[in-house]
């Protein structure tokens, strides 16, 4: 089974940047698509972006389009989320998840990482 580990979270000022990583191990052939979700305190989990590793196609939520970029390094079984022009409303725990389809629906994902905290504050 695929195992996912996120890293790269931290604290940054508004307008700053962070790059999150999602490293996959195990049967990575079962994890063609990786999605990023986030959950802020007191709010529901929100889809951020996803990428299909086999065809290198990606999707973004409107709230992050133009600021975030998802990419994959298949040689390292790692997916990255480059986050630029960060805003306080981007503060959340960010999770990556593995599934067969790049989708904004969390039910499409079978395996989840433990999450990494991103805090945007002055």
């Amino acid at each position: 089974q695929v195992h996912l580990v996120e890293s790269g979270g931290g604290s940054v000022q508004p307008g700053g940047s962070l790059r999150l990583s999602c490293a996959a191990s195990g049967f990575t052939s079962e994890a063609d698509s990786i999605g990023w979700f986030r959950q802020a305190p007191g709010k529901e989990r929100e889809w951020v972006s996803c990428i299909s590793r086999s065809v290198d196609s990606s999707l973004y939520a409107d709230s992050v389009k133009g600021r975030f970029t998802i990419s994959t390094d298949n040689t390292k079984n790692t997916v990255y989320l480059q986050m630029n022009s960060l805003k306080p409303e981007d503060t959340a725990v960010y999770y990556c998840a593995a599934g067969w389809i790049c989708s904004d629906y969390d039910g499409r994902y079978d395996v989840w990482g433990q999450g990494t905290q991103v805090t945007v504050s002055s």
Side-chain angles (χ1 to χ4, degrees), residues 71-87:
S71 63
T72 182
D73 184 341
N74 289 335
T75 63
K76 297 181 181 179
N77 289 322
T78 300
V79 171
Y80 303 98
L81 185 68
Q82 177 66 44
M83 306 186 297
N84 298 329
S85 301
L86 282 162
K87 304 174 181 180

Side-chain angles (χ1 to χ4, degrees), residues 35-96:
W36 283 98
F37 292 77
R38 66 187 182 186
Q39 188 165 21
K43 295 187 177 181
E44 293 187 354
R45 186 162 56 192
E46 174 190 19
W47 171 73
V48 174
S49 179
C50 61
I51 188 167
S52 170
R53 299 193 302 161
S54 61
V55 299
D56 198 21
S57 65
S58 56
L59 297 171
Y60 298 91
D62 288 343
S63 58
V64 306
K65 199 172 294 183
R67 299 188 298 121
F68 291 11
T69 303
I70 192 170
S71 63
T72 182
D73 184 341
N74 289 335
T75 63
K76 297 181 181 179
N77 289 322
T78 300
V79 171
Y80 303 98
L81 185 68
Q82 177 66 44
M83 306 186 297
N84 298 329
S85 301
L86 282 162
K87 304 174 181 180
E89 52 263 43
D90 294 318
T91 296
V93 177
Y94 284 70
Y95 300 89
C96 65

Side-chain angles (χ1 to χ4, degrees), residues 88-112:
E89 52 263 43
D90 294 318
T91 296
V93 177
Y94 284 70
Y95 300 89
C96 65
W100 281 107
I101 298 174
C102 180
S103 170
D104 61 355
Y105 174 48
D106 58 5
R108 292 284 192 180
Y109 298 89
D110 302 311
V111 180
W112 292 77

